[in-house]
Amino acid sequence: MPRSFLELFGVEPKAVAQAPGRVNLLGEHTDYNDGFVLPCAIPQKTRVEMALSPDRLDHFAAEDLGQRVDCEPVGPTPPGFAAYLHGCLTLVRQGGAVIPPVLMRVDSQVPMGSGLSSSAALEVAVLRALRELFHLDLDDVRVARLAQRAEIEYAGVNCGIMDQMAASLADEHHMLFLDTRTLERRLLPLPEGAELLVLDSGVPRRLEESGYNERRRECEEAARLLGVAALRDVGDPGELAALPEELAKRARHVVTENLRVLEAAQGVDARRFGELMNFSHRSLRDDFEVSIPALNLMVQLLQGEEEVFGARLTGAGFGGACVALVREGWGTQLGEWVLDRYREKGQLGTLLVPR
C-alpha cells in the first residue's frame, strides 16, 4: 500500500504539483534536429509533493517504485529516479535561487519505458512544485528548458525539447504544434470525428540503453556533411543523395517527417492524418530503424481495422507504445480487439488511452 507524505516524513507537504505524460502523433526524432512536432498530453500524470527537509539532506521517495534515496544537495548525482530530481534541484540552485534541502514524494501514473515521457512529466512536476514552494519566477517555457537540461546533464539522455514542452504546455484535448527551434507553438484540434488510441506494446525501453544517442549523432553528422546547422534546414529529400547510404536514410526520415507535421498542422481530415501516421511508421521502421517486431506487429494489427485511420509507434522506439487515430467513440473497443489478437501472437500489451 503506498504511504502518504505524512507517513513517510512525519509532516504534511507544503507544495503539490503534477504534470502529464504525452503521446506524440507526428514528428518523431525531429525535435533534436530543430524540427517540428505534434504531441498531445495524456490523462496519466506524475504527482510531486514537497516540503522542507529537517536536516542537511534531500530526501526523495518514489512510492510507485518502492524506492527511497537520501543525498547531499551538492553531492554526486544519485542513480535511478533520484537523478532527475537531483538534476532539477541543482539547476534551480545554480540559477541563483536559495533552495534549502527538501523532502519529496513522487507518485506517477505515467508508465515507464512506454515512450510516453514519464521522465519529462517527472521533471516538470518537480519544477512546478519548486516554483510553488519557493515562489520562483519560472514561466512554463523556462520550466521546460530546465527540465530538458536536467535530463541531458543528469540522466545522460541527449534529448530534444519536445517532451518537456508537452509536459509543461500541452493538454489532453489539443495537439501542440511546436517549432523546436523557435519554440513558436499553437494548440490545434484533433481531426473532426476522431479520437486517440494508445497501446503499450509490453516491451519496455530505456533511452540511455538504446540507440537513441547514436541516432542523434548520426543526424548531427548528416547535417555537418550537408553544411547545414540542422536537418530542419533541408526541405527537399532529393538533397540527401550525396550522403553515405545509412546517413541518407536517417536524414530522409527527419526531412520527410517534418513535411508530414507541417501538412498535418495546416488542417487535414482524419483519413489524411491517418495516412501521414502510417507513412511515419514506415519511415521510422525502414529509414530510422528504431522499430522492433512487437511494435510492427501492433501497428499492423491496428492498421488492419476498418475504424482505424492510421497508426504508428510513438516515442523514440526500441520498445514502448503505439498511437492510433480512430473513429470517435471506438477507441476502447478497438483497443480490446487489437490486444486480443496481439496476445494470440504471444505478446502482452495494455490499453493506456482511452483510460
Side-chain angles (χ1 to χ4, degrees), residues 142-155:
R142 180 64 177 152
V143 164
R145 288 186 179 277
L146 286 170
Q148 180 197 21
R149 284 187 58 197
E151 184 136 352
I152 294 172
E153 297 174 25
Y154 293 89

Side-chain angles (χ1 to χ4, degrees), residues 16-84:
V16 179
Q18 60 184 13
R22 69 95 187 96
V23 63
N24 193 26
L25 309 188
L26 285 169
E28 219 64 80
H29 291 276
T30 53
D31 62 338
Y32 57 80
N33 289 290
D34 281 0
F36 307 97
V37 295
L38 206 56
C40 177
I42 59 174
Q44 291 87 345
K45 294 180 174 64
T46 295
R47 176 184 170 94
V48 169
E49 299 168 305
M50 191 179 296
L52 297 180
S53 172
D55 56 33
R56 61 181 180 81
L57 298 178
D58 289 320
H59 300 278
F60 306 141
E63 280 301 281
D64 50 315
L65 300 176
Q67 297 178 13
R68 180 164 175 171
V69 173
D70 307 315
C71 61
E72 295 274 357
V74 294
T77 301
F81 84 98
Y84 300 91

Side-chain angles (χ1 to χ4, degrees), residues 20-23 25 38-45 166 169-177 186-196 273 325 328 353-355:
R22 69 95 187 96
V23 63
L25 309 188
L38 206 56
C40 177
I42 59 174
Q44 291 87 345
K45 294 180 174 64
L169 292 151
D171 65 46
E172 298 172 36
H173 309 291
H174 297 85
M175 304 179 291
L176 176 68
F177 172 73
R186 62 182 185 273
L187 293 174
L188 303 172
L190 286 170
E192 188 175 355
E195 66 178 64
L196 297 181
F273 199 105
L325 188 72
E328 192 171 14
V353 179
R355 294 192 68 177

Side-chain angles (χ1 to χ4, degrees), residues 201-203 293-294 297-298 339 341-349:
S201 71
V203 181
L297 171 61
M298 180 169 275
L339 287 175
R341 292 172 176 82
Y342 189 66
R343 293 180 188 117
E344 289 171 2
K345 301 290 186 179
Q347 303 292 338
L348 188 61

Side-chain angles (χ1 to χ4, degrees), residues 275-295:
E275 290 176 350
L276 295 171
M277 294 176 75
N278 293 339
F279 293 146
S280 175
H281 182 79
R282 188 182 310 159
S283 180
L284 287 161
R285 181 192 66 198
D286 299 340
D287 281 346
F288 222 65
E289 296 182 285
V290 295
S291 194
I292 59 172
L295 289 172

Side-chain angles (χ1 to χ4, degrees), residues 12-341:
E12 294 286 358
K14 300 300 182 184
V16 179
Q18 60 184 13
R22 69 95 187 96
V23 63
N24 193 26
L25 309 188
L26 285 169
E28 219 64 80
H29 291 276
T30 53
D31 62 338
Y32 57 80
N33 289 290
D34 281 0
F36 307 97
V37 295
L38 206 56
C40 177
I42 59 174
Q44 291 87 345
K45 294 180 174 64
T46 295
R47 176 184 170 94
V48 169
E49 299 168 305
M50 191 179 296
L52 297 180
S53 172
D55 56 33
R56 61 181 180 81
L57 298 178
D58 289 320
H59 300 278
F60 306 141
E63 280 301 281
D64 50 315
L65 300 176
Q67 297 178 13
R68 180 164 175 171
V69 173
D70 307 315
C71 61
E72 295 274 357
V74 294
T77 301
F81 84 98
Y84 300 91
L85 281 61
H86 176 79
C88 291
L89 280 164
T90 301
L91 289 172
V92 172
R93 286 165 173 154
Q94 289 176 348
V98 178
I99 308 293
V102 296
L103 309 170
M104 208 180 308
R105 179 186 182 273
V106 176
D107 190 9
S108 183
Q109 303 168 343
V110 184
M112 297 177 63
S114 296
L116 301 174
S117 293
S118 58
S119 58
L122 174 59
E123 294 149 5
V124 170
V126 168
L127 290 163
R128 285 176 171 175
L130 285 168
R131 180 171 64 185
E132 178 183 337
L133 182 58
F134 296 104
H135 309 289
L136 302 178
D137 183 20
L138 295 176
D139 64 23
D140 291 338
V141 172
R142 180 64 177 152
V143 164
R145 288 186 179 277
L146 286 170
Q148 180 197 21
R149 284 187 58 197
E151 184 136 352
I152 294 172
E153 297 174 25
Y154 293 89
V157 178
N158 198 13
C159 63
I161 192 68
M162 172 184 67
D163 294 349
Q164 291 79 11
M165 286 289 285
S168 190
L169 292 151
D171 65 46
E172 298 172 36
H173 309 291
H174 297 85
M175 304 179 291
L176 176 68
F177 172 73
L178 175 67
D179 179 337
T180 64
R181 172 174 284 173
T182 67
L183 299 189
E184 176 192 349
R185 60 201 178 273
R186 62 182 185 273
L187 293 174
L188 303 172
L190 286 170
E192 188 175 355
E195 66 178 64
L196 297 181
L197 168 62
V198 183
L199 301 177
D200 189 340
S201 71
V203 181
R205 63 99 187 91
R206 291 171 58 89
L207 287 186
E208 61 270 31
E209 296 172 0
S210 73
Y212 180 91
N213 287 340
E214 179 186 355
R215 290 296 182 275
R216 180 161 186 164
R217 286 191 294 270
E218 289 171 332
C219 290
E220 290 169 350
E221 176 63 9
R224 186 188 69 80
L225 291 174
L226 291 168
V228 294
L231 289 178
R232 178 258 184 67
D233 298 309
V234 181
D236 180 0
E239 299 176 38
L240 309 175
L243 291 173
E245 182 179 357
E246 188 164 276
L247 292 184
K249 290 169 61 178
R250 305 294 188 252
R252 181 165 61 238
H253 165 71
V254 174
V255 173
T256 58
E257 187 79 344
N258 278 326
L259 294 174
R260 286 186 281 271
V261 175
L262 291 172
E263 180 181 347
Q266 293 301 311
V268 297
D269 63 18
R271 188 68 59 188
R272 178 56 182 166
F273 199 105
E275 290 176 350
L276 295 171
M277 294 176 75
N278 293 339
F279 293 146
S280 175
H281 182 79
R282 188 182 310 159
S283 180
L284 287 161
R285 181 192 66 198
D286 299 340
D287 281 346
F288 222 65
E289 296 182 285
V290 295
S291 194
I292 59 172
L295 289 172
N296 293 333
L297 171 61
M298 180 169 275
V299 168
Q300 181 183 10
L301 292 171
L302 285 163
Q303 291 174 347
E305 293 290 341
E306 183 178 351
E307 306 300 328
V308 173
F309 299 111
R312 60 186 287 276
L313 71 83
T314 187
F318 308 105
C322 294
V323 60
L325 188 72
V326 308
R327 195 170 303 280
E328 192 171 14
W330 281 75
T332 300
Q333 186 174 350
L334 283 167
E336 292 170 350
W337 287 351
V338 167
L339 287 175
D340 284 343
R341 292 172 176 82

